[in-house]
Amino acid sequence: MNAVIVTLSVIIVVCLILILLVATYNHFQDYIIRINEADENIDSVLRKRFDLLNKSIGIVKTNIESEEEVLEGIIKLRSKKLTNFELDRNLYNAINEFHVIKQKYPELQTNEEFIKIDINLMESESEIVGLRKYYNDIITDYNKLVKSCPSNIIALLKGYKAKDYFDGNNLDNEKGAIKL
């Protein structure tokens, strides 16, 4: 009778451990899916911003008479392969350059297409702020899962590592690089 109770107890403990492992693994998978989804949404808005700035180059060139190159940052980005982190920082600089041009050449503020681009850039700014926050919130929860026990055992076994926040300092990560 004692052997049966011990065997049954061992089976129950093993089953509980397996259930915990499967539940933890599924929890990781949920976060990975959400992170990828948030990353794709950020990528979409960044591409939209890039396209708007790229479109504005032609409008600026046809409406002002200047020999200087406009929005040089966007022109340089056309052939680069960048992560979303890098692209966001470069677009931020290009948008600042866009606003300088807008102030420097008031005749652009009467161009309907230029005004639409300006409005869309402002809308995309609030969109990207919300997406950054959502992404960073998911990363916080994911990183807690990677670093806390007992889920860190699954993370170690599956090779899951803590991820950088969207505004993180690690810009050397080639994973997720996009070519414009």
Side-chain angles (χ1 to χ4, degrees), residues 35 72 98 117-118 143 150:
I35 289 167
E72 290 178 31
F98 174 87
I117 289 171
D118 190 28
N143 287 345

Side-chain angles (χ1 to χ4, degrees), residues 21-36:
L21 290 174
V22 168
T24 302
Y25 175 79
N26 287 340
H27 206 59
F28 270 111
Q29 293 306 306
D30 178 53
Y31 279 113
I32 290 168
I33 289 168
R34 290 172 57 202
I35 289 167
N36 290 339

Side-chain angles (χ1 to χ4, degrees), residues 19 36 71 99 104 114 125 130 138 140-141 146-147 165:
I19 289 170
N36 290 339
L71 293 168
H99 289 299
K104 189 174 179 181
F114 190 84
E125 179 59 29
I138 295 169
T140 297
D141 293 340
V146 167
K147 294 179 180 184
Y165 291 95

Side-chain angles (χ1 to χ4, degrees), residues 12 40 80 98 115 121 146 153:
I12 289 173
E40 288 299 317
K80 288 185 178 180
F98 174 87
I115 293 169
L121 283 172
V146 167
I153 296 167

Side-chain angles (χ1 to χ4, degrees), residues 41-50 124 127-128 131:
N41 289 337
I42 289 169
D43 183 55
S44 174
V45 173
L46 292 176
R47 285 178 186 274
K48 175 183 168 185
R49 295 175 101 191
F50 175 82
S124 71
E127 212 175 331
I128 199 74
L131 288 171

Side-chain angles (χ1 to χ4, degrees), residues 98-113:
F98 174 87
H99 289 299
V100 167
I101 290 170
K102 181 175 123 180
Q103 296 301 319
K104 189 174 179 181
Y105 302 101
E107 61 269 22
L108 288 171
Q109 295 179 21
T110 60
N111 183 294
E112 191 174 314
E113 284 298 309

